[in-house]
Amino acid sequence: MLVRTRTHYPFSFGDIGNALYGSWMRSAVLFSITISQIGFVCAYMIFVAENLKSVAEQVFDIRIDLYIYIMLQILIYVPLAMIRRISKLSFTALIADVFIMFGLLYLYYFDINQLVKEGVSDIAAFNPDDFALFIGTAVFTFEGIGLIIPITESMKEPEKFPKVLTGVMIFISVLFTSIGALSYATFGSNIKTVVIINLPSDDPLVQTVQLLYALAILLSIPLQLFPAIRIMEQGLFVKSGKNDLYVKWQKNIFRILTVIACALIAWGGASDLDKFVSLIGSFACVPLCFIYPPLFHYKVARTFGAKMLDIFVLTFGVFSLFYTTHVTIRKWGGE
């Protein structure tokens, strides 16, 4: 829907909203992108901390609180947050992808091997208590709509993008579903929020997987933080810091404070990573996926069927936003 709308309004995500509905819509889109990106960063900081804690306990017998691992990450992210060009972060993202693929392949191997040896664990077909968390988590997992327009713009043949997007979505859907189903079948009711923690932690290969996966997420966090910092800087600073040292240092301090704020939020959500992820997915990612695109597309849709589809997706998005956010907050508060 977003790509089709862009053929009529060749702008960025926020600027399409501005052209169709006014400045308030642009602000809403940018707010959702910022909250979702900061949410990704915080969730990933918790993930990295849990993996590093597991490796440190098993390999070095170092037992310290989780929040210390979260705070130590500030020392790495502050220098990386000073990078002004996103292209400079592409190399770290490529290394991260290699490490992630290694971790996923090992997880496939372990799960299938265990299922062959031990059989299926104690599993339930449906979880009536927490299924709403699944909706928020699934939206969080697939969220990347903020990158749709930049990728389309950078393609040599942008008209092929819908076909590329469809292929990618099918591939990652199979990847996410198979890893989730196999791991749940393997570990059953004992499964952890971070499934790598379920692997036998005294195995050197598992420790390597945990360390590489933690490094992978560590390297990809600056890429997630970049859009949020840029959007907030454009809203807070009028002048560029390129030729003004005072403004540049104001921006540097702001970036440092943003990293520290992310670490503090991660510390607060560390005990309930599943609910934290679901909350970000419900509150920030659902509007980006299921509310803004159909609202935009409705304005350019030509047929009755296309308009009805926009209304259906929009209705689903509004329901998901309020219902899943409410359930996640209630469950978090109840505990």
Side-chain angles (χ1 to χ4, degrees), residues 80-151:
L80 290 172
M82 297 300 143
I83 294 171
R84 260 59 178 184
R85 286 180 174 273
I86 198 167
S87 57
K88 291 181 180 177
L89 297 169
S90 60
F91 181 66
T92 59
L94 195 64
I95 296 170
D97 284 344
V98 173
F99 289 169
I100 287 169
M101 191 56 70
F102 176 72
L104 291 176
L105 288 172
Y106 181 79
L107 204 52
Y108 272 123
Y109 161 76
F110 183 88
D111 288 349
I112 293 167
N113 192 42
Q114 282 293 108
L115 287 169
V116 170
K117 286 181 181 176
E118 310 286 338
V120 177
S121 188
D122 58 323
I123 61 172
F126 182 68
N127 181 353
D129 296 327
D130 294 323
F131 84 95
L133 295 181
F134 164 74
I135 298 171
T137 305
V139 176
F140 179 99
T141 305
F142 280 97
E143 181 50 54
I145 201 162
L147 294 172
I148 294 292
I149 290 172
I151 291 170

Side-chain angles (χ1 to χ4, degrees), residues 28 35-36 38 67 72 85 93 108 125 128 140 146 159 161 173 176 184 263 267-268 310 316 331 334:
I35 296 296
S36 65
I38 286 176
Y67 78 88
L72 285 172
R85 286 180 174 273
Y108 272 123
F140 179 99
E159 67 278 0
F161 180 75
S173 296
F176 289 146
Y184 181 48
W267 183 5
D310 291 335
F316 172 76
K331 287 191 75 67

Side-chain angles (χ1 to χ4, degrees), residues 239-256:
K239 293 171 69 178
S240 169
K242 195 172 285 186
N243 301 312
D244 191 326
L245 197 62
Y246 178 66
V247 173
K248 188 171 186 176
W249 270 104
Q250 280 184 318
K251 288 185 175 183
N252 287 345
I253 291 166
F254 173 73
R255 289 176 178 229
I256 293 166

Side-chain angles (χ1 to χ4, degrees), residues 306-323:
K307 286 182 180 289
M308 289 308 296
L309 182 61
D310 291 335
I311 292 168
F312 172 76
V313 174
L314 177 62
T315 305
F316 172 76
V318 171
F319 171 77
S320 298
L321 169 65
F322 287 104
Y323 177 69

Side-chain angles (χ1 to χ4, degrees), residues 184-239:
Y184 181 48
T186 303
F187 302 111
S189 58
N190 294 318
I191 198 161
K192 302 276 196 296
T193 302
V194 178
V195 71
I196 294 175
I197 305 297
N198 276 104
L199 298 173
S201 53
D202 55 345
D203 185 336
L205 186 55
V206 169
Q207 291 162 3
T208 305
V209 168
Q210 288 179 329
L211 190 61
L212 289 178
Y213 220 102
L215 284 172
I217 304 302
L218 198 79
L219 291 169
S220 63
I221 283 176
L223 205 60
Q224 299 289 353
L225 191 59
F226 191 88
I229 284 179
R230 286 295 288 269
I231 289 166
M232 290 189 288
E233 279 185 348
Q234 285 168 5
L236 290 170
F237 298 96
V238 179
K239 293 171 69 178

